Amino acid sequence: MKEVTLTLADEHATVAMGKQLANITKQLNLDNLLVFLNGDLGAGKTTLTRGFVQGMGHTGNVKSPTYTLVEPYELSPWHVYHFDLYRLADPEELEYMGIRDYFSIKSCSFIEWPEKGAGVLPQEDLIINLQYNDTHRLITLLAATSKGEQIINLIT
Ligand code: ADP
Ligand code: MG
């Protein structure tokens, strides 16, 4: 499995990495993208997603969907969905939410706490692990599909 590890010196660098992922998504003109985000509370999962959402064209706030499970950004041409499954009690709740519909259109989904949706979530393209390293963050991107590999090949 292809992977790359980088240091993110501060919050700005994490936002910039999210924006880079948005630019790569546009460059590759991906139909669909599913990203799993792993890391402790405060590791920077939401911060990274904010960069991605803004990079895809959103200009307003990006709030954490901890209580709503998902925050939709119906941008053009991609719809971006930011999931936070921390409070999901049962993966079956995702079926009731109509989770499949989120992934059926031209969309990019970033999912925090994906293990809470195990068995219901489709195959991810990219796994991103964020770790504390003093005030820095260590980011590891792992490809889970050829789409994920194409993305990693373009990360600088
Ligand atoms: P998570 O979604 O993983 O719980 P957040 O992105 O909500 O984490 O929070 C990360 C917190 O850490 C923010 O308060 C942010 O200001 C701070 N922070 C400090 N350094 C970094 C960094 N390099 N990258 C991301 N966040 C950082
Ligand atoms: Mg978060």
Side-chain angles (χ1 to χ4, degrees):
M1 191 154 63
K2 182 140 190 144
E3 66 168 269
V4 64
T5 299
L6 298 161
T7 299
L8 302 168
D10 53 22
E11 185 171 349
H12 180 263
T14 302
V15 172
M17 175 55 69
K19 287 188 175 157
Q20 184 181 169
L21 288 169
N23 287 335
I24 291 172
T25 299
K26 292 183 208 168
Q27 187 183 340
L28 293 172
N29 194 22
L30 299 176
D31 257 352
N32 248 279
L33 177 65
L34 184 53
V35 177
F36 284 4
L37 298 164
N38 299 317
D40 294 339
L41 278 175
K45 303 181 293 298
T46 296
T47 303
L48 181 79
T49 305
R50 173 162 34 107
F52 183 81
V53 168
Q54 290 173 342
M56 294 305 274
H58 177 72
T59 50
N61 271 359
V62 174
K63 52 182 180 189
S64 188
T66 306
Y67 293 93
T68 51
L69 295 179
V70 62
E71 191 65 37
Y73 300 90
E74 304 200 334
L75 307 167
S76 179
W78 284 272
H79 288 185
V80 178
Y81 298 106
H82 177 199
F83 289 86
D84 183 339
L85 304 183
Y86 190 68
R87 288 176 188 278
L88 189 74
D90 185 329
E92 270 196 22
E93 277 179 47
L94 292 173
E95 309 259 31
Y96 305 141
M97 279 172 69
I99 188 102
R100 311 249 157 224
D101 296 343
Y102 286 100
F103 308 122
S104 62
I105 44 171
K106 198 168 171 92
S107 70
C108 301
S109 294
F110 275 52
I111 306 190
E112 300 185 38
W113 304 99
E115 64 271 32
K116 300 264 185 179
V120 175
L121 292 174
Q123 168 69 53
E124 74 279 17
D125 299 299
L126 205 58
I127 301 163
I128 297 181
N129 297 320
L130 284 156
Q131 271 178 281
Y132 286 97
N133 186 9
D134 205 359
T135 56
H136 296 36
R137 299 292 187 272
L138 215 56
I139 185 172
T140 302
L141 302 100
L142 300 108
T145 63
S146 60
K147 209 185 285 181
E149 252 178 61
Q150 281 178 273
I151 292 172
I152 288 179
N153 284 337
L154 293 173
I155 298 261
T156 55

